[in-house]
Amino acid sequence: MADGRGWTRRDVLLLGAAGVAAVTGGVLLWNGLRDDADAPTPAAGTSPGPSPAPGASDEPGTSAGTLREPEVLASVDGRLDLALTAALVETEVAGRRVRALSYRDGVPGPTLRVRAGDRITLRLRNGLDAPTNLHTHGMVVSPEGNGDNVFVMIEPGGAFDYDYRLGTDHPPGVFWYHPHHHGNTAEQLFGGLFGGIIVEDPTPIPASRERLLIVSDTGFDAAGDLHVATQAERMLGREGELVLVNGQLGATMEAAPGDRERWRLVNACSSRFLRLRLDGQRMALLGIDSGRFAAPRDVDEFVLAPGNRADLLVTAVEGEAVLRTLPFDRGAMGMMGAPSSATAGADLAAFTVTGPVGAAVDPAPRPAAPRDLRTRAVTGRRTVRLAMGMGGMAGGMGGGMAFTIDGREFDHDRVDLDVAHGAIEEWTIVNESPMDHPFHLHVWPMQLVEVDGAALAAADVDVRDVVPVRARSTTVVRIAFEGLRGRTVYHCHILDHEDNGMMGVIETT
Ligand code: C2O
Ligand code: CU
Ligand code: CU
């Protein structure tokens, strides 16, 4: 398998056995951690009867009321200076008192609002009992030194001063921040460590209202402690039973008929794809990630892979609507089966449109025609192979799955791809595995050329920092290695896959 030849019957049988072992291992690990925990939480033997599935509570008190937005920290005169402390705190998530990870008391962390040309100085203190660091996902800022450097490791009790300088040509849009310490990224994100970043539009887009909706999933046990992923969940990519918007379950938004709202949606789930619908309302996508389409695109539904963001216009139509995510098939792994999101969707928030017709809103200005790398000469082509095979050290227990790119697991000391500054490259990203892998590259956005064997229409300029690579399929992108230089990473944004090794190092010099 490691050489990526596809799945034989023997592989599947082996994987089946590994799957059973992994599930058992997960249960043992779970009990082991319980015994060590300092809080008096029920171990398996002491809980009264079978404990409820994490988060799948019959608890009342989850009627969250009006959707709240995180605290906003905005730059002043080109500067934003702030401090965050990653810590385990007692807080409210989905209407329950729980112990979750937080940057500043709540979940999500504060929203940073800045402009092109700004400088953000940020002190991150590590109040966790494991290493952490910070990544400003999608931001076009230096990956070196104390910029957006994911090779930084902040030990428990330590701190690091980040200094992010946005170029005057930094794209506007919605970005986000989250930990990026290899090995525990998924766990820390799932625990609650994430927040939004908005880079303002140079020309404002008229709207009745703007909202930031950060969608995350997580889970807790009956005692209110974070669910610890089983080894099977670490292979498939963990999904939490609670699918939240801004940390709330079942929140409500209100609008007047005719309102045109601008929603910035972030998929901050560790592994879950969002296939979003808002039936009865009118949706137009301005773009995905920091890419802006040539014109708004009317949609009935759209998919956000983990890490993706949507810049969306919603025109309100009288009635009651529900923002929901539908089941999405992101593949399966032998007898470990498929993630639960393959068959189960979730309601995210209610959208109630009543009352007199709201004030008219001017149409969105047309953006400058986006640059199309398909019209440019390519200076180099590469194939990048994503694979899952037997025999890796995934999960630290041996005998698990290897999650590889070009046949290798992540090594922070090795540069896998060397790229000349100024190059315009075409990458063919081949997924030889039976699961989807949303492929993410830091610093340099990717333009979709071909997905799943189908070329994009000439009019569709679609630039993203996370691109879909479906199971046993191929995606072709073009990338301009212009602007910033430096050493950073590319990886699967199913963060358990990244933690298991599906990440490489790229250096542009
Ligand atoms: Cu959102 Cu390298 O990650
Ligand atoms: Cu990123
Ligand atoms: Cu993956």
Side-chain angles (χ1 to χ4, degrees):
M1 267 314 296
D3 66 351
R5 291 262 65 89
W7 292 77
T8 64
R9 180 175 151 75
R10 182 179 139 78
D11 288 330
V12 172
L13 290 174
L14 283 170
L15 178 54
V20 173
V23 171
T24 310
V27 172
L28 293 172
L29 177 64
W30 175 256
N31 290 337
L33 287 181
R34 281 274 144 276
D35 293 338
D36 290 347
D38 46 14
T41 46
T46 60
S47 54
S51 51
S57 61
D58 46 10
E59 296 216 10
T62 50
S63 54
T66 304
L67 181 74
R68 293 185 299 262
E69 292 214 11
E71 158 194 25
V72 172
L73 304 175
S75 63
V76 177
D77 295 332
R79 286 296 302 265
L80 177 61
D81 182 46
L82 73 148
L84 300 174
T85 302
L88 182 68
V89 300
E90 187 162 356
T91 185
E92 189 184 299
V93 173
R96 285 181 64 196
R97 294 306 291 178
V98 294
R99 281 165 295 283
L101 305 186
S102 166
Y103 281 120
R104 268 202 193 204
D105 302 327
V107 176
T111 303
L112 316 185
R113 293 198 77 119
V114 295
R115 302 182 166 278
D118 282 0
R119 177 177 177 194
I120 306 170
T121 45
L122 187 160
R123 166 162 291 194
L124 176 64
R125 296 188 189 88
N126 185 1
L128 306 169
D129 56 12
T132 193
N133 64 11
L134 198 73
H135 169 49
T136 54
H137 179 127
M139 297 284 286
V140 183
V141 293
S142 171
E144 304 263 279
N146 54 0
D148 184 29
N149 183 345
V150 295
F151 301 102
V152 164
M153 176 167 85
I154 311 171
E155 295 285 2
F160 190 81
D161 289 310
Y162 289 96
D163 189 346
Y164 307 108
R165 292 160 191 259
L166 284 63
T168 52
D169 57 350
H170 194 288
V174 55
F175 306 85
W176 62 300
Y177 58 87
H178 64 78
H180 212 294
H181 180 262
H182 179 67
N184 53 22
T185 301
E187 184 181 335
Q188 292 182 1
L189 182 75
F190 187 90
L193 295 179
F194 53 86
I197 304 174
I198 289 170
V199 180
E200 309 285 0
D201 299 284
T203 319
I205 293 178
S208 319
R209 186 184 290 99
E210 188 182 307
R211 302 181 191 267
L212 173 65
L213 285 76
I214 306 184
V215 182
S216 64
D217 65 352
T218 191
F220 299 90
D221 63 14
D225 287 305
L226 281 162
H227 173 64
V228 178
T230 63
Q231 198 166 6
E233 287 171 321
R234 287 171 195 264
M235 301 290 131
L236 292 172
R238 73 191 68 193
E239 294 182 354
E241 269 115 340
L242 299 169
V243 188
L244 310 174
V245 181
N246 298 346
Q248 286 172 276
L249 186 67
T252 303
M253 298 176 276
E254 281 169 12
D259 277 359
R260 194 176 64 219
E261 301 202 345
R262 184 178 185 188
W263 294 7
R264 302 171 191 267
L265 285 143
V266 180
N267 184 353
C269 300
S270 305
S271 314
R272 184 188 294 266
F273 283 64
L274 300 174
R275 181 179 154 207
L276 297 166
R277 287 191 80 94
L278 184 65
D279 289 342
Q281 304 294 316
R282 286 168 48 207
M283 300 194 291
L285 270 177
L286 295 173
I288 298 287
D289 298 347
S290 67
R292 192 65 58 89
F293 301 147
R297 216 175 267 180
D298 292 330
V299 290
D300 291 325
E301 67 175 59
F302 58 95
V303 172
L304 293 182
N308 275 144
R309 290 86 62 208
D311 204 332
L312 183 73
L313 293 179
V314 175
T315 304
V317 177
E318 181 151 24
E320 298 267 345
V322 176
L323 176 67
R324 43 172 67 103
T325 179
L326 272 58
F328 182 87
D329 178 9
R330 61 182 178 91
M333 207 192 283
M335 283 171 65
M336 241 175 247
S340 65
S341 61
T343 49
D347 289 354
L348 302 178
F351 187 56
T352 305
V353 183
T354 53
V357 172
V361 181
D362 290 337
R366 283 214 156 213
R371 178 168 77 153
D372 189 347
L373 294 178
R374 290 170 299 185
T375 65
R376 301 278 296 272
V378 163
T379 59
R381 291 176 200 271
R382 295 174 200 267
T383 299
V384 176
R385 288 179 192 279
L386 312 175
M388 293 158 33
M390 297 304 299
M393 296 301 290
M397 298 176 75
M401 298 286 298
F403 288 77
T404 59
I405 300 184
D406 295 327
R408 300 188 289 208
E409 294 182 317
F410 176 66
D411 178 350
H412 61 92
D413 287 326
R414 180 187 70 224
V415 174
D416 298 286
L417 298 180
D418 239 309
V419 178
H421 189 256
I424 295 183
E425 297 208 345
E426 182 167 286
W427 291 11
T428 299
I429 310 164
V430 179
N431 179 358
E432 298 165 329
S433 79
M435 294 197 81
D436 291 10
H437 300 294
F439 182 84
H440 176 46
L441 170 64
H442 290 206
V443 181
W444 303 278
M446 299 172 278
Q447 182 180 344
L448 286 171
V449 173
E450 197 182 297
V451 178
D452 214 354
L456 271 74
D460 292 348
V461 178
D462 193 325
V463 179
R464 320 178 163 210
D465 51 61
V466 178
V467 301
V469 192
R470 306 299 311 268
R472 294 196 179 92
S473 172
T474 293
T475 289
V476 180
V477 297
R478 287 194 181 183
I479 309 157
F481 290 93
E482 296 169 341
L484 296 159
R485 299 164 196 263
R487 194 162 67 101
T488 188
V489 293
Y490 51 96
H491 58 89
C492 176
H493 216 288
I494 290 182
L495 293 175
D496 282 295
H497 294 175
E498 178 262 290
D499 283 334
N500 281 327
M502 195 176 270
M503 177 152 75
V505 176
I506 181 169
E507 182 155 30
T508 298
T509 46

